PDB file of all heavy atoms in Angstrom:
ATOM      1  N   GLY A   1      -8.527   2.828 -14.741  1.00 76.00           N
ATOM      2  CA  GLY A   1      -7.110   2.934 -14.914  1.00 76.00           C
ATOM      3  C   GLY A   1      -6.301   1.861 -14.385  1.00 76.00           C
ATOM      4  O   GLY A   1      -6.481   1.475 -13.211  1.00 76.00           O
ATOM      5  N   TYR A   2      -5.489   1.314 -15.158  1.00 82.00           N
ATOM      6  CA  TYR A   2      -4.361   0.289 -14.579  1.00 82.00           C
ATOM      7  C   TYR A   2      -3.142   0.652 -15.306  1.00 82.00           C
ATOM      8  O   TYR A   2      -3.061   1.230 -16.354  1.00 82.00           O
ATOM      9  CB  TYR A   2      -4.910  -1.133 -15.122  1.00 82.00           C
ATOM     10  CG  TYR A   2      -6.059  -1.734 -14.545  1.00 82.00           C
ATOM     11  CD1 TYR A   2      -7.372  -1.561 -15.012  1.00 82.00           C
ATOM     12  CD2 TYR A   2      -5.955  -2.383 -13.262  1.00 82.00           C
ATOM     13  CE1 TYR A   2      -8.515  -1.971 -14.307  1.00 82.00           C
ATOM     14  CE2 TYR A   2      -7.059  -2.915 -12.553  1.00 82.00           C
ATOM     15  CZ  TYR A   2      -8.272  -2.630 -13.143  1.00 82.00           C
ATOM     16  OH  TYR A   2      -9.469  -3.242 -12.464  1.00 82.00           O
ATOM     17  N   ALA A   3      -1.880   0.260 -14.846  1.00 89.00           N
ATOM     18  CA  ALA A   3      -1.704  -0.543 -13.654  1.00 89.00           C
ATOM     19  C   ALA A   3      -1.968   0.405 -12.406  1.00 89.00           C
ATOM     20  O   ALA A   3      -2.109   1.622 -12.435  1.00 89.00           O
ATOM     21  CB  ALA A   3      -0.209  -0.888 -13.605  1.00 89.00           C
ATOM     22  N   ARG A   4      -2.019  -0.242 -11.215  1.00 91.00           N
ATOM     23  CA  ARG A   4      -2.322   0.391 -10.000  1.00 91.00           C
ATOM     24  C   ARG A   4      -1.202   0.131  -8.966  1.00 91.00           C
ATOM     25  O   ARG A   4      -0.430  -0.801  -9.056  1.00 91.00           O
ATOM     26  CB  ARG A   4      -3.672  -0.115  -9.418  1.00 91.00           C
ATOM     27  CG  ARG A   4      -4.780   0.406 -10.288  1.00 91.00           C
ATOM     28  CD  ARG A   4      -6.127  -0.071  -9.675  1.00 91.00           C
ATOM     29  NE  ARG A   4      -7.237   0.453 -10.545  1.00 91.00           N
ATOM     30  CZ  ARG A   4      -8.454   0.121 -10.391  1.00 91.00           C
ATOM     31  NH1 ARG A   4      -8.844  -0.742  -9.523  1.00 91.00           N
ATOM     32  NH2 ARG A   4      -9.437   0.700 -11.094  1.00 91.00           N
ATOM     33  N   THR A   5      -1.196   0.962  -8.038  1.00 93.00           N
ATOM     34  CA  THR A   5      -0.276   0.937  -6.883  1.00 93.00           C
ATOM     35  C   THR A   5      -0.900   0.606  -5.544  1.00 93.00           C
ATOM     36  O   THR A   5      -1.834   1.457  -5.209  1.00 93.00           O
ATOM     37  CB  THR A   5       0.542   2.317  -6.756  1.00 93.00           C
ATOM     38  OG1 THR A   5       1.191   2.589  -7.968  1.00 93.00           O
ATOM     39  CG2 THR A   5       1.652   2.176  -5.737  1.00 93.00           C
ATOM     40  N   TYR A   6      -0.574  -0.380  -4.985  1.00 94.00           N
ATOM     41  CA  TYR A   6      -1.024  -0.714  -3.684  1.00 94.00           C
ATOM     42  C   TYR A   6       0.009  -0.426  -2.591  1.00 94.00           C
ATOM     43  O   TYR A   6       1.212  -0.650  -2.838  1.00 94.00           O
ATOM     44  CB  TYR A   6      -1.436  -2.215  -3.592  1.00 94.00           C
ATOM     45  CG  TYR A   6      -2.619  -2.526  -4.276  1.00 94.00           C
ATOM     46  CD1 TYR A   6      -2.606  -3.044  -5.584  1.00 94.00           C
ATOM     47  CD2 TYR A   6      -3.883  -2.537  -3.681  1.00 94.00           C
ATOM     48  CE1 TYR A   6      -3.713  -3.452  -6.164  1.00 94.00           C
ATOM     49  CE2 TYR A   6      -5.033  -2.816  -4.371  1.00 94.00           C
ATOM     50  CZ  TYR A   6      -4.884  -3.348  -5.602  1.00 94.00           C
ATOM     51  OH  TYR A   6      -6.088  -3.675  -6.350  1.00 94.00           O
ATOM     52  N   PHE A   7      -0.452   0.330  -1.541  1.00 94.00           N
ATOM     53  CA  PHE A   7       0.518   0.709  -0.503  1.00 94.00           C
ATOM     54  C   PHE A   7       0.037   0.346   0.915  1.00 94.00           C
ATOM     55  O   PHE A   7      -1.122   0.130   1.100  1.00 94.00           O
ATOM     56  CB  PHE A   7       0.796   2.244  -0.561  1.00 94.00           C
ATOM     57  CG  PHE A   7      -0.451   3.022  -0.377  1.00 94.00           C
ATOM     58  CD1 PHE A   7      -0.847   3.426   0.950  1.00 94.00           C
ATOM     59  CD2 PHE A   7      -1.173   3.488  -1.461  1.00 94.00           C
ATOM     60  CE1 PHE A   7      -1.936   4.235   1.032  1.00 94.00           C
ATOM     61  CE2 PHE A   7      -2.336   4.226  -1.293  1.00 94.00           C
ATOM     62  CZ  PHE A   7      -2.719   4.695  -0.056  1.00 94.00           C
ATOM     63  N   ARG A   8       1.002   0.195   1.792  1.00 93.00           N
ATOM     64  CA  ARG A   8       0.657  -0.254   3.188  1.00 93.00           C
ATOM     65  C   ARG A   8      -0.208   0.918   3.947  1.00 93.00           C
ATOM     66  O   ARG A   8       0.182   2.092   3.764  1.00 93.00           O
ATOM     67  CB  ARG A   8       1.897  -0.479   3.952  1.00 93.00           C
ATOM     68  CG  ARG A   8       1.695  -1.127   5.338  1.00 93.00           C
ATOM     69  CD  ARG A   8       2.953  -1.664   5.951  1.00 93.00           C
ATOM     70  NE  ARG A   8       3.950  -0.589   6.227  1.00 93.00           N
ATOM     71  CZ  ARG A   8       5.171  -0.816   6.600  1.00 93.00           C
ATOM     72  NH1 ARG A   8       5.562  -2.122   6.771  1.00 93.00           N
ATOM     73  NH2 ARG A   8       5.941   0.161   6.821  1.00 93.00           N
ATOM     74  N   SER A   9      -1.124   0.481   4.560  1.00 92.00           N
ATOM     75  CA  SER A   9      -2.177   1.472   5.208  1.00 92.00           C
ATOM     76  C   SER A   9      -2.416   1.026   6.612  1.00 92.00           C
ATOM     77  O   SER A   9      -2.421  -0.234   6.868  1.00 92.00           O
ATOM     78  CB  SER A   9      -3.457   1.602   4.418  1.00 92.00           C
ATOM     79  OG  SER A   9      -4.367   2.377   5.098  1.00 92.00           O
ATOM     80  N   SER A  10      -2.684   1.924   7.501  1.00 88.00           N
ATOM     81  CA  SER A  10      -2.983   1.596   8.825  1.00 88.00           C
ATOM     82  C   SER A  10      -4.461   1.353   8.994  1.00 88.00           C
ATOM     83  O   SER A  10      -4.888   0.959  10.194  1.00 88.00           O
ATOM     84  CB  SER A  10      -2.611   2.867   9.733  1.00 88.00           C
ATOM     85  OG  SER A  10      -3.365   3.980   9.393  1.00 88.00           O
ATOM     86  N   THR A  11      -5.344   1.455   7.956  1.00 89.00           N
ATOM     87  CA  THR A  11      -6.742   1.229   8.082  1.00 89.00           C
ATOM     88  C   THR A  11      -7.241   0.602   6.773  1.00 89.00           C
ATOM     89  O   THR A  11      -6.649   0.791   5.707  1.00 89.00           O
ATOM     90  CB  THR A  11      -7.486   2.603   8.198  1.00 89.00           C
ATOM     91  OG1 THR A  11      -8.785   2.337   8.299  1.00 89.00           O
ATOM     92  CG2 THR A  11      -7.153   3.592   7.088  1.00 89.00           C
ATOM     93  N   ASP A  12      -8.297  -0.232   6.930  1.00 88.00           N
ATOM     94  CA  ASP A  12      -8.889  -0.820   5.782  1.00 88.00           C
ATOM     95  C   ASP A  12     -10.086  -0.030   5.319  1.00 88.00           C
ATOM     96  O   ASP A  12     -10.854  -0.402   4.372  1.00 88.00           O
ATOM     97  CB  ASP A  12      -9.420  -2.195   6.126  1.00 88.00           C
ATOM     98  CG  ASP A  12      -8.385  -3.252   6.272  1.00 88.00           C
ATOM     99  OD1 ASP A  12      -7.332  -3.037   5.723  1.00 88.00           O
ATOM    100  OD2 ASP A  12      -8.580  -4.227   7.205  1.00 88.00           O
ATOM    101  N   SER A  13     -10.324   1.074   6.043  1.00 90.00           N
ATOM    102  CA  SER A  13     -11.478   2.000   5.662  1.00 90.00           C
ATOM    103  C   SER A  13     -11.026   3.083   4.788  1.00 90.00           C
ATOM    104  O   SER A  13     -10.226   3.940   5.200  1.00 90.00           O
ATOM    105  CB  SER A  13     -12.141   2.524   6.925  1.00 90.00           C
ATOM    106  OG  SER A  13     -13.121   3.406   6.579  1.00 90.00           O
ATOM    107  N   PRO A  14     -11.478   3.126   3.542  1.00 86.00           N
ATOM    108  CA  PRO A  14     -11.078   4.277   2.664  1.00 86.00           C
ATOM    109  C   PRO A  14     -11.370   5.623   3.319  1.00 86.00           C
ATOM    110  O   PRO A  14     -10.598   6.551   3.184  1.00 86.00           O
ATOM    111  CB  PRO A  14     -11.845   4.113   1.328  1.00 86.00           C
ATOM    112  CG  PRO A  14     -12.225   2.691   1.433  1.00 86.00           C
ATOM    113  CD  PRO A  14     -12.395   2.190   2.854  1.00 86.00           C
ATOM    114  N   GLY A  15     -12.428   5.788   3.922  1.00 89.00           N
ATOM    115  CA  GLY A  15     -12.781   7.090   4.598  1.00 89.00           C
ATOM    116  C   GLY A  15     -11.957   7.501   5.692  1.00 89.00           C
ATOM    117  O   GLY A  15     -11.711   8.558   6.083  1.00 89.00           O
ATOM    118  N   GLY A  16     -11.170   6.466   6.320  1.00 91.00           N
ATOM    119  CA  GLY A  16     -10.337   6.710   7.517  1.00 91.00           C
ATOM    120  C   GLY A  16      -8.931   6.987   7.069  1.00 91.00           C
ATOM    121  O   GLY A  16      -7.981   7.284   7.862  1.00 91.00           O
ATOM    122  N   LEU A  17      -8.601   6.880   5.815  1.00 90.00           N
ATOM    123  CA  LEU A  17      -7.204   7.044   5.274  1.00 90.00           C
ATOM    124  C   LEU A  17      -6.829   8.544   5.261  1.00 90.00           C
ATOM    125  O   LEU A  17      -7.637   9.342   4.780  1.00 90.00           O
ATOM    126  CB  LEU A  17      -7.084   6.446   3.876  1.00 90.00           C
ATOM    127  CG  LEU A  17      -5.716   6.585   3.221  1.00 90.00           C
ATOM    128  CD1 LEU A  17      -4.777   5.719   3.979  1.00 90.00           C
ATOM    129  CD2 LEU A  17      -5.843   6.192   1.791  1.00 90.00           C
ATOM    130  N   GLN A  18      -5.767   8.840   5.927  1.00 91.00           N
ATOM    131  CA  GLN A  18      -5.198  10.101   6.005  1.00 91.00           C
ATOM    132  C   GLN A  18      -4.181  10.360   4.732  1.00 91.00           C
ATOM    133  O   GLN A  18      -3.296   9.437   4.503  1.00 91.00           O
ATOM    134  CB  GLN A  18      -4.478  10.391   7.237  1.00 91.00           C
ATOM    135  CG  GLN A  18      -5.400  10.265   8.553  1.00 91.00           C
ATOM    136  CD  GLN A  18      -6.575  11.260   8.397  1.00 91.00           C
ATOM    137  OE1 GLN A  18      -6.345  12.577   8.262  1.00 91.00           O
ATOM    138  NE2 GLN A  18      -7.781  10.838   8.645  1.00 91.00           N
ATOM    139  N   ILE A  19      -4.244  11.443   4.117  1.00 92.00           N
ATOM    140  CA  ILE A  19      -3.295  11.814   2.901  1.00 92.00           C
ATOM    141  C   ILE A  19      -1.971  11.778   3.421  1.00 92.00           C
ATOM    142  O   ILE A  19      -1.094  11.145   2.654  1.00 92.00           O
ATOM    143  CB  ILE A  19      -3.720  13.099   2.387  1.00 92.00           C
ATOM    144  CG1 ILE A  19      -5.078  13.103   1.682  1.00 92.00           C
ATOM    145  CG2 ILE A  19      -2.636  13.485   1.363  1.00 92.00           C
ATOM    146  CD1 ILE A  19      -5.484  14.337   1.068  1.00 92.00           C
ATOM    147  N   ALA A  20      -1.565  12.224   4.550  1.00 92.00           N
ATOM    148  CA  ALA A  20      -0.206  12.241   4.960  1.00 92.00           C
ATOM    149  C   ALA A  20       0.202  10.756   5.226  1.00 92.00           C
ATOM    150  O   ALA A  20       1.466  10.479   5.038  1.00 92.00           O
ATOM    151  CB  ALA A  20      -0.144  13.018   6.373  1.00 92.00           C
ATOM    152  N   ASP A  21      -0.593   9.881   5.686  1.00 92.00           N
ATOM    153  CA  ASP A  21      -0.244   8.536   5.908  1.00 92.00           C
ATOM    154  C   ASP A  21       0.121   7.818   4.562  1.00 92.00           C
ATOM    155  O   ASP A  21       1.097   7.037   4.404  1.00 92.00           O
ATOM    156  CB  ASP A  21      -1.255   7.747   6.616  1.00 92.00           C
ATOM    157  CG  ASP A  21      -1.419   8.117   8.052  1.00 92.00           C
ATOM    158  OD1 ASP A  21      -0.493   8.773   8.569  1.00 92.00           O
ATOM    159  OD2 ASP A  21      -2.497   7.818   8.571  1.00 92.00           O
ATOM    160  N   ALA A  22      -0.681   8.193   3.477  1.00 91.00           N
ATOM    161  CA  ALA A  22      -0.536   7.587   2.209  1.00 91.00           C
ATOM    162  C   ALA A  22       0.798   8.007   1.560  1.00 91.00           C
ATOM    163  O   ALA A  22       1.543   7.268   1.074  1.00 91.00           O
ATOM    164  CB  ALA A  22      -1.695   7.967   1.230  1.00 91.00           C
ATOM    165  N   VAL A  23       1.027   9.355   1.691  1.00 93.00           N
ATOM    166  CA  VAL A  23       2.386  10.062   1.253  1.00 93.00           C
ATOM    167  C   VAL A  23       3.490   9.291   1.904  1.00 93.00           C
ATOM    168  O   VAL A  23       4.472   8.963   1.187  1.00 93.00           O
ATOM    169  CB  VAL A  23       2.355  11.420   1.373  1.00 93.00           C
ATOM    170  CG1 VAL A  23       3.625  12.056   0.989  1.00 93.00           C
ATOM    171  CG2 VAL A  23       1.282  12.119   0.514  1.00 93.00           C
ATOM    172  N   SER A  24       3.512   9.213   3.247  1.00 95.00           N
ATOM    173  CA  SER A  24       4.485   8.574   3.903  1.00 95.00           C
ATOM    174  C   SER A  24       4.783   7.136   3.480  1.00 95.00           C
ATOM    175  O   SER A  24       5.924   6.710   3.452  1.00 95.00           O
ATOM    176  CB  SER A  24       4.226   8.612   5.396  1.00 95.00           C
ATOM    177  OG  SER A  24       5.306   8.010   6.154  1.00 95.00           O
ATOM    178  N   SER A  25       3.688   6.408   3.301  1.00 95.00           N
ATOM    179  CA  SER A  25       3.841   5.041   2.888  1.00 95.00           C
ATOM    180  C   SER A  25       4.481   4.860   1.520  1.00 95.00           C
ATOM    181  O   SER A  25       5.449   4.068   1.275  1.00 95.00           O
ATOM    182  CB  SER A  25       2.554   4.338   2.899  1.00 95.00           C
ATOM    183  OG  SER A  25       2.685   2.891   2.683  1.00 95.00           O
ATOM    184  N   ILE A  26       4.146   5.732   0.580  1.00 95.00           N
ATOM    185  CA  ILE A  26       4.670   5.668  -0.797  1.00 95.00           C
ATOM    186  C   ILE A  26       6.108   6.035  -0.680  1.00 95.00           C
ATOM    187  O   ILE A  26       7.008   5.511  -1.330  1.00 95.00           O
ATOM    188  CB  ILE A  26       3.873   6.598  -1.754  1.00 95.00           C
ATOM    189  CG1 ILE A  26       2.461   6.059  -1.990  1.00 95.00           C
ATOM    190  CG2 ILE A  26       4.586   6.778  -3.042  1.00 95.00           C
ATOM    191  CD1 ILE A  26       2.416   4.773  -2.813  1.00 95.00           C
ATOM    192  N   ARG A  27       6.457   7.214  -0.059  1.00 96.00           N
ATOM    193  CA  ARG A  27       7.773   7.618   0.103  1.00 96.00           C
ATOM    194  C   ARG A  27       8.687   6.572   0.743  1.00 96.00           C
ATOM    195  O   ARG A  27       9.873   6.430   0.440  1.00 96.00           O
ATOM    196  CB  ARG A  27       7.837   8.876   0.897  1.00 96.00           C
ATOM    197  CG  ARG A  27       7.506  10.131   0.124  1.00 96.00           C
ATOM    198  CD  ARG A  27       7.607  11.397   1.000  1.00 96.00           C
ATOM    199  NE  ARG A  27       7.450  12.662   0.216  1.00 96.00           N
ATOM    200  CZ  ARG A  27       7.285  13.867   0.736  1.00 96.00           C
ATOM    201  NH1 ARG A  27       7.121  13.927   2.071  1.00 96.00           N
ATOM    202  NH2 ARG A  27       7.187  14.830  -0.075  1.00 96.00           N
ATOM    203  N   GLY A  28       8.166   5.818   1.574  1.00 97.00           N
ATOM    204  CA  GLY A  28       8.870   4.779   2.309  1.00 97.00           C
ATOM    205  C   GLY A  28       9.048   3.475   1.545  1.00 97.00           C
ATOM    206  O   GLY A  28       9.721   2.512   2.003  1.00 97.00           O
ATOM    207  N   GLY A  29       8.441   3.376   0.382  1.00 97.00           N
ATOM    208  CA  GLY A  29       8.653   2.238  -0.565  1.00 97.00           C
ATOM    209  C   GLY A  29       7.750   1.043  -0.105  1.00 97.00           C
ATOM    210  O   GLY A  29       7.932  -0.098  -0.586  1.00 97.00           O
ATOM    211  N   HIS A  30       6.657   1.380   0.793  1.00 97.00           N
ATOM    212  CA  HIS A  30       5.894   0.156   1.241  1.00 97.00           C
ATOM    213  C   HIS A  30       4.742   0.059   0.269  1.00 97.00           C
ATOM    214  O   HIS A  30       3.582   0.218   0.402  1.00 97.00           O
ATOM    215  CB  HIS A  30       5.239   0.564   2.614  1.00 97.00           C
ATOM    216  CG  HIS A  30       6.287   1.091   3.552  1.00 97.00           C
ATOM    217  ND1 HIS A  30       7.433   0.420   3.796  1.00 97.00           N
ATOM    218  CD2 HIS A  30       6.293   2.232   4.334  1.00 97.00           C
ATOM    219  CE1 HIS A  30       8.193   1.074   4.741  1.00 97.00           C
ATOM    220  NE2 HIS A  30       7.423   2.207   5.113  1.00 97.00           N
ATOM    221  N   ALA A  31       5.084  -0.473  -0.993  1.00 97.00           N
ATOM    222  CA  ALA A  31       4.099  -0.518  -2.056  1.00 97.00           C
ATOM    223  C   ALA A  31       4.494  -1.560  -3.144  1.00 97.00           C
ATOM    224  O   ALA A  31       5.657  -1.987  -3.134  1.00 97.00           O
ATOM    225  CB  ALA A  31       4.029   0.874  -2.782  1.00 97.00           C
ATOM    226  N   LEU A  32       3.431  -1.862  -3.929  1.00 97.00           N
ATOM    227  CA  LEU A  32       3.767  -2.752  -5.164  1.00 97.00           C
ATOM    228  C   LEU A  32       2.896  -2.166  -6.325  1.00 97.00           C
ATOM    229  O   LEU A  32       1.867  -1.647  -6.098  1.00 97.00           O
ATOM    230  CB  LEU A  32       3.491  -4.144  -4.948  1.00 97.00           C
ATOM    231  CG  LEU A  32       2.002  -4.660  -4.684  1.00 97.00           C
ATOM    232  CD1 LEU A  32       1.674  -5.966  -5.304  1.00 97.00           C
ATOM    233  CD2 LEU A  32       1.588  -4.751  -3.323  1.00 97.00           C
ATOM    234  N   ALA A  33       3.394  -2.395  -7.500  1.00 96.00           N
ATOM    235  CA  ALA A  33       2.654  -2.022  -8.813  1.00 96.00           C
ATOM    236  C   ALA A  33       2.197  -3.302  -9.333  1.00 96.00           C
ATOM    237  O   ALA A  33       2.790  -4.277  -9.428  1.00 96.00           O
ATOM    238  CB  ALA A  33       3.652  -1.299  -9.687  1.00 96.00           C
ATOM    239  N   THR A  34       0.919  -3.221  -9.826  1.00 96.00           N
ATOM    240  CA  THR A  34       0.325  -4.509 -10.345  1.00 96.00           C
ATOM    241  C   THR A  34      -0.890  -4.226 -11.246  1.00 96.00           C
ATOM    242  O   THR A  34      -1.565  -3.090 -11.267  1.00 96.00           O
ATOM    243  CB  THR A  34      -0.256  -5.295  -9.085  1.00 96.00           C
ATOM    244  OG1 THR A  34      -0.864  -6.577  -9.575  1.00 96.00           O
ATOM    245  CG2 THR A  34      -1.393  -4.525  -8.338  1.00 96.00           C
ATOM    246  N   THR A  35      -1.123  -5.202 -12.246  1.00 94.00           N
ATOM    247  CA  THR A  35      -2.386  -5.122 -13.008  1.00 94.00           C
ATOM    248  C   THR A  35      -3.429  -6.069 -12.487  1.00 94.00           C
ATOM    249  O   THR A  35      -4.580  -6.044 -12.932  1.00 94.00           O
ATOM    250  CB  THR A  35      -1.930  -5.763 -14.377  1.00 94.00           C
ATOM    251  OG1 THR A  35      -1.603  -7.165 -14.316  1.00 94.00           O
ATOM    252  CG2 THR A  35      -0.857  -5.047 -15.116  1.00 94.00           C
ATOM    253  N   GLY A  36      -3.094  -6.698 -11.394  1.00 94.00           N
ATOM    254  CA  GLY A  36      -4.077  -7.641 -10.751  1.00 94.00           C
ATOM    255  C   GLY A  36      -3.584  -8.463  -9.519  1.00 94.00           C
ATOM    256  O   GLY A  36      -4.226  -8.408  -8.513  1.00 94.00           O
ATOM    257  N   PRO A  37      -2.465  -9.184  -9.670  1.00 97.00           N
ATOM    258  CA  PRO A  37      -1.987  -9.898  -8.545  1.00 97.00           C
ATOM    259  C   PRO A  37      -1.605  -9.149  -7.336  1.00 97.00           C
ATOM    260  O   PRO A  37      -1.144  -8.022  -7.506  1.00 97.00           O
ATOM    261  CB  PRO A  37      -0.754 -10.711  -9.214  1.00 97.00           C
ATOM    262  CG  PRO A  37      -0.891 -10.621 -10.637  1.00 97.00           C
ATOM    263  CD  PRO A  37      -1.647  -9.411 -10.928  1.00 97.00           C
ATOM    264  N   PHE A  38      -1.860  -9.832  -6.149  1.00 97.00           N
ATOM    265  CA  PHE A  38      -1.497  -9.032  -4.906  1.00 97.00           C
ATOM    266  C   PHE A  38      -0.470  -9.896  -4.244  1.00 97.00           C
ATOM    267  O   PHE A  38      -0.654 -11.143  -4.028  1.00 97.00           O
ATOM    268  CB  PHE A  38      -2.732  -8.988  -4.054  1.00 97.00           C
ATOM    269  CG  PHE A  38      -2.527  -7.989  -2.916  1.00 97.00           C
ATOM    270  CD1 PHE A  38      -2.580  -6.612  -2.982  1.00 97.00           C
ATOM    271  CD2 PHE A  38      -2.268  -8.543  -1.602  1.00 97.00           C
ATOM    272  CE1 PHE A  38      -2.374  -5.852  -1.920  1.00 97.00           C
ATOM    273  CE2 PHE A  38      -2.040  -7.732  -0.557  1.00 97.00           C
ATOM    274  CZ  PHE A  38      -2.217  -6.253  -0.741  1.00 97.00           C
ATOM    275  N   VAL A  39       0.694  -9.294  -3.942  1.00 98.00           N
ATOM    276  CA  VAL A  39       1.901  -9.977  -3.288  1.00 98.00           C
ATOM    277  C   VAL A  39       2.097  -9.515  -1.836  1.00 98.00           C
ATOM    278  O   VAL A  39       2.170  -8.220  -1.647  1.00 98.00           O
ATOM    279  CB  VAL A  39       3.110  -9.758  -4.175  1.00 98.00           C
ATOM    280  CG1 VAL A  39       4.239 -10.496  -3.634  1.00 98.00           C
ATOM    281  CG2 VAL A  39       2.856 -10.111  -5.702  1.00 98.00           C
ATOM    282  N   ARG A  40       2.210 -10.376  -1.065  1.00 98.00           N
ATOM    283  CA  ARG A  40       2.658 -10.034   0.417  1.00 98.00           C
ATOM    284  C   ARG A  40       3.993 -10.772   0.580  1.00 98.00           C
ATOM    285  O   ARG A  40       4.116 -11.969   0.197  1.00 98.00           O
ATOM    286  CB  ARG A  40       1.642 -10.570   1.409  1.00 98.00           C
ATOM    287  CG  ARG A  40       0.342  -9.849   1.369  1.00 98.00           C
ATOM    288  CD  ARG A  40      -0.529 -10.319   2.553  1.00 98.00           C
ATOM    289  NE  ARG A  40      -1.898  -9.791   2.319  1.00 98.00           N
ATOM    290  CZ  ARG A  40      -2.285  -8.755   3.008  1.00 98.00           C
ATOM    291  NH1 ARG A  40      -1.394  -8.007   3.783  1.00 98.00           N
ATOM    292  NH2 ARG A  40      -3.589  -8.236   2.965  1.00 98.00           N
ATOM    293  N   ALA A  41       4.989 -10.091   1.215  1.00 98.00           N
ATOM    294  CA  ALA A  41       6.306 -10.770   1.358  1.00 98.00           C
ATOM    295  C   ALA A  41       6.883 -10.109   2.697  1.00 98.00           C
ATOM    296  O   ALA A  41       6.894  -8.833   2.779  1.00 98.00           O
ATOM    297  CB  ALA A  41       7.353 -10.620   0.226  1.00 98.00           C
ATOM    298  N   THR A  42       7.432 -10.933   3.514  1.00 98.00           N
ATOM    299  CA  THR A  42       8.058 -10.406   4.752  1.00 98.00           C
ATOM    300  C   THR A  42       9.330 -11.214   5.084  1.00 98.00           C
ATOM    301  O   THR A  42       9.347 -12.422   4.938  1.00 98.00           O
ATOM    302  CB  THR A  42       7.132 -10.470   5.920  1.00 98.00           C
ATOM    303  OG1 THR A  42       6.651 -11.807   6.184  1.00 98.00           O
ATOM    304  CG2 THR A  42       5.858  -9.540   5.718  1.00 98.00           C
ATOM    305  N   ILE A  43      10.289 -10.607   5.521  1.00 98.00           N
ATOM    306  CA  ILE A  43      11.457 -11.100   6.162  1.00 98.00           C
ATOM    307  C   ILE A  43      11.596 -10.552   7.681  1.00 98.00           C
ATOM    308  O   ILE A  43      11.670  -9.321   7.731  1.00 98.00           O
ATOM    309  CB  ILE A  43      12.703 -10.760   5.373  1.00 98.00           C
ATOM    310  CG1 ILE A  43      12.583 -11.275   3.942  1.00 98.00           C
ATOM    311  CG2 ILE A  43      13.969 -11.425   6.096  1.00 98.00           C
ATOM    312  CD1 ILE A  43      13.757 -10.852   3.076  1.00 98.00           C
ATOM    313  N   LYS A  44      11.586 -11.469   8.566  1.00 97.00           N
ATOM    314  CA  LYS A  44      11.523 -10.997  10.008  1.00 97.00           C
ATOM    315  C   LYS A  44      10.446  -9.970  10.218  1.00 97.00           C
ATOM    316  O   LYS A  44      10.612  -8.979  11.012  1.00 97.00           O
ATOM    317  CB  LYS A  44      12.911 -10.493  10.413  1.00 97.00           C
ATOM    318  CG  LYS A  44      13.971 -11.587  10.523  1.00 97.00           C
ATOM    319  CD  LYS A  44      15.399 -10.925  11.000  1.00 97.00           C
ATOM    320  CE  LYS A  44      16.407 -12.019  11.090  1.00 97.00           C
ATOM    321  NZ  LYS A  44      17.645 -11.235  11.499  1.00 97.00           N
ATOM    322  N   LYS A  45       9.323 -10.200   9.689  1.00 96.00           N
ATOM    323  CA  LYS A  45       8.170  -9.255   9.865  1.00 96.00           C
ATOM    324  C   LYS A  45       8.335  -7.909   9.052  1.00 96.00           C
ATOM    325  O   LYS A  45       7.475  -6.995   9.287  1.00 96.00           O
ATOM    326  CB  LYS A  45       7.696  -9.142  11.320  1.00 96.00           C
ATOM    327  CG  LYS A  45       7.322 -10.418  11.933  1.00 96.00           C
ATOM    328  CD  LYS A  45       6.862 -10.174  13.376  1.00 96.00           C
ATOM    329  CE  LYS A  45       6.413 -11.542  14.040  1.00 96.00           C
ATOM    330  NZ  LYS A  45       5.949 -11.299  15.354  1.00 96.00           N
TER     331      LYS A  45
END
């Protein structure tokens, strides 16, 4: 399935991801939608 949503996570381990953390990240807008490219952007961190 594509497109996909990438969201900010506190862990790089899929097994360590908590559902509540994923929901909080999506609700907070800490995400991007993509077919492939990965974008990082920060202003004052």
